[in-house]
């Protein structure tokens, strides 16, 4: 897309640093980058291209109660997989800034057969005086502000078990409901005195036929609708988001129902001290990634977290606690709590060294674990 072979190359270009969309995608995915710069290229006829991403690597020493009582060591990615994002910017015409964004992601796993190589983002963005429209696959809206916690951003958080080889879960299900990457058409307003909102139409979440045989009778005639509003000041931010989606039955094999959710939260900082928190409630789905449910036991879910960090020069210290509750298991429910203690040190503007202690607790004593984690991330 760089034409006429007249290309100007710059590294960490300050005049053409990370574009707002690219930066927001990384932040939305839980990445709190120590340096928002990209390697960029520009042709003499106005086309621009940029590359940015991150490579996180963690060594995890874990003691697990489930699925077996065992100790385990593994080297893996954290909450974020290794990521390379490509951003293409067309020349501005008729007041429109048109760009394309494509992201490739890979987990760290032993052996090529277990590698998970995929694309989370593939979309067109159109920006102008009216705001911005994103068309294609990208990050969601519901729950996005909450995912900006420091513990998950450059950390590990919830671990799937002693054989974890894919990206971990951060605070999914123990603090926030994950937005996920989904095909959508999304509108973002310009900032209105610090107030900004998003609204979008999304491909519906599908009921799993493997979990619920009656899912074969489900139909999805309308898109999922998501929206959020964020108000930001010099040292604080307040937000709320929500979603709704209908799940219908073609033959009446089950009662049609509506998935829905709402959350609200905020953050505030005083010098090097920052505090943030979030609370969310959902119906018709679990506490993890969007997944429609037919199980009558899973009707309501809620989760929340509070996090405090303190920055001293190039070092950040933090503590984070959150809980998740849902009705997936009849009677006792499926309730968990996750505690994260973490430290980050910016060895350079692009290399961050990390240490973390994570412990998961459950109400019924199943699936508990604790882990000591050391890691590093290159951000470019």
């Amino acid at each position: 897309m760089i034409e006429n072979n007249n290309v100007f190359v710059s590294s960490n270009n300050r005049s053409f640093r990370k574009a707002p969309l690219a930066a927001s995608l990384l932040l939305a995915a839980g990445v709190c980058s120590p340096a928002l710069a990209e390697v960029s290229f520009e042709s003499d006829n106005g086309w621009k291209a940029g590359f940015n991403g991150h490579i996180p690597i963690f060594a995890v020493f874990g003691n697990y109660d489930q699925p077996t009582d065992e100790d385990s060591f593994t080297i893996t990615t954290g909450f974020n997989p290794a990521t390379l994002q490509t951003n293409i910017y067309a020349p501005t015409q008729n007041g429109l800034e048109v760009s394309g964004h494509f992201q490739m992601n890979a987990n760290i796993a032993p052996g090529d057969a277990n590698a998970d190589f995929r694309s989370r983002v593939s979309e067109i963005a159109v920006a102008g005086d009216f705001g911005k429209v994103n068309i294609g696959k990208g990050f969601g809206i519901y729950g996005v502000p909450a995912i900006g916690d420091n513990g998950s951003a450059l950390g590990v958080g919830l671990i799937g078990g002693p054989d974890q080889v894919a990206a971990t879960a951060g605070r999914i299900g123990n603090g926030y409901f994950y937005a996920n990457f989904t095909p959508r058409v999304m509108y973002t307003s310009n900032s209105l005195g610090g107030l900004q909102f998003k609204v979008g139409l999304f491909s519906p979440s599908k009921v799993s036929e493997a979990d619920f045989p009656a899912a074969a009778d489900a139909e999805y005639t309308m898109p999922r609708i998501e929206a959020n509003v964020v108000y930001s000041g010099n040292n604080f931010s307040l937000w709320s988001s929500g979603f709704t989606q209908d799940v219908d039955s073609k033959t009446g094999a089950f009662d049609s129902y509506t998935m829905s959710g709402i959350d609200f939260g905020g953050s505030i900082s005083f010098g090097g001290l920052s505090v943030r928190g979030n609370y969310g409630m959902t119906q018709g789905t679990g506490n993890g990634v969007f997944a429609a449910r037919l199980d009558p036991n899973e009707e309501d879910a809620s989760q929340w977290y509070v996090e405090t960090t303190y920055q001293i020069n190039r070092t950040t210290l933090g503590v984070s606690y959150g809980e998740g509750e849902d009705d997936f298991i009849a009677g006792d429910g499926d309730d968990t709590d996750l505690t994260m203690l973490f430290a980050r040190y910016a060895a350079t503007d692009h290399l961050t060294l990390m240490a973390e202690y994570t412990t998961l607790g459950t109400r019924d004593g199943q699936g508990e674990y604790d882990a000591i984690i050391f890691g590093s991330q290159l951000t470019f």
Side-chain angles (χ1 to χ4, degrees):
M1 308 248 344
I2 308 301
E3 300 178 353
N4 298 332
N5 296 321
N6 295 319
V7 179
F8 303 94
V9 181
S10 64
S11 179
N12 298 332
N13 190 326
R14 297 302 175 186
S15 62
F16 178 49
R17 295 182 73 185
K18 189 185 303 287
L21 175 65
S24 65
L25 285 171
L26 288 175
L27 179 59
V31 175
C32 185
S33 171
L36 293 180
E38 68 179 5
V39 178
S40 59
F41 307 82
E42 183 174 358
S43 70
D44 59 357
N45 61 357
W47 282 90
K48 299 177 182 179
F51 303 89
N52 55 70
H54 49 266
I55 304 174
I57 309 289
F58 292 91
V60 180
F61 300 83
N63 176 265
Y64 303 88
D65 288 342
Q66 288 287 330
T68 59
D69 185 2
E70 65 176 283
D71 296 331
S72 174
F73 170 78
T74 187
I75 295 177
T76 183
T77 50
F79 181 50
N80 293 288
T83 295
L84 172 65
Q85 179 152 318
T86 302
N87 309 298
I88 306 294
Y89 309 90
T92 301
Q93 295 181 349
N94 302 322
L96 297 178
E97 300 176 358
V98 181
S99 55
H101 305 269
F102 185 75
Q103 187 181 108
M104 296 303 297
N105 312 95
N107 295 323
I108 305 299
D112 292 339
N114 293 324
D116 185 3
F117 192 69
R118 62 197 185 280
S119 174
R120 285 180 162 183
V121 176
S122 182
E123 67 174 358
I124 301 167
V126 182
D129 293 338
F130 56 85
K132 181 171 63 182
V133 175
N134 298 77
I135 307 167
K137 183 181 180 181
F139 212 57
I141 299 176
Y142 176 67
V144 165
I147 300 173
D149 65 300
N150 285 287
S152 294
L154 285 173
V156 172
L158 181 64
I159 303 170
D163 299 319
Q164 177 85 42
V165 295
T168 56
R171 283 213 158 276
I172 298 174
N174 295 273
Y176 49 67
F177 193 103
Y178 190 55
N180 211 359
F181 296 84
T182 310
R184 77 279 195 272
V185 177
M186 179 177 73
Y187 170 74
T188 303
S189 74
N190 291 320
S191 178
L192 308 171
L195 184 71
Q196 189 173 49
F197 67 89
K198 295 182 180 182
V199 62
L201 303 179
F202 289 72
S203 290
S205 296
K206 304 296 180 67
V207 182
S208 170
E209 292 186 33
D211 294 335
F212 309 103
D217 191 59
E219 64 178 359
Y220 312 88
T221 59
M222 299 296 291
R224 184 171 74 246
I225 300 173
E226 299 185 31
N228 74 17
V229 58
V230 179
Y231 180 70
S232 300
N234 290 332
N235 65 339
F236 73 93
S237 181
L238 300 173
W239 61 78
S240 181
S241 63
F243 81 95
T244 182
Q245 176 190 315
D246 292 333
V247 180
D248 299 316
S249 173
K250 290 180 285 188
T251 67
F254 62 88
D255 293 333
S256 299
Y257 69 99
T258 299
M259 298 167 57
S260 63
I262 187 171
D263 73 353
F264 49 89
S267 65
I268 189 168
S269 61
F270 304 94
L273 179 67
S274 297
V275 179
R276 65 184 293 119
N278 188 78
Y279 179 81
M281 301 173 289
T282 60
Q283 290 185 323
T285 184
N287 253 337
V289 181
F290 280 114
R293 298 287 188 180
L294 298 179
D295 189 327
N297 293 322
E298 184 158 15
E299 299 174 351
D300 301 307
S302 65
Q303 49 188 279
W304 61 270
Y305 78 87
V306 176
E307 176 187 81
T308 300
T309 60
Y310 186 70
Q311 184 169 349
I312 309 170
N313 298 322
R314 302 181 72 88
T315 300
T316 300
L317 305 176
V319 57
S320 178
Y321 178 83
E323 296 183 359
E325 301 179 357
D326 66 36
D327 297 332
F328 185 69
I329 300 176
D332 293 335
D334 186 15
D335 306 336
T336 58
D337 59 79
L338 182 72
T339 302
M340 300 171 64
L341 306 176
F342 55 91
R344 320 270 193 247
Y345 175 70
T348 72
D349 288 344
H350 305 284
L351 178 65
T352 303
L353 305 179
M354 297 163 280
E356 181 179 326
Y357 173 75
T358 300
T359 178
L360 177 73
T362 62
R363 303 297 184 272
D364 58 6
Q366 300 297 311
E368 297 181 351
Y369 77 84
D370 57 88
I372 298 175
I373 303 156
F374 301 96
S376 60
Q377 176 167 304
L378 170 66
T379 304
F380 56 91

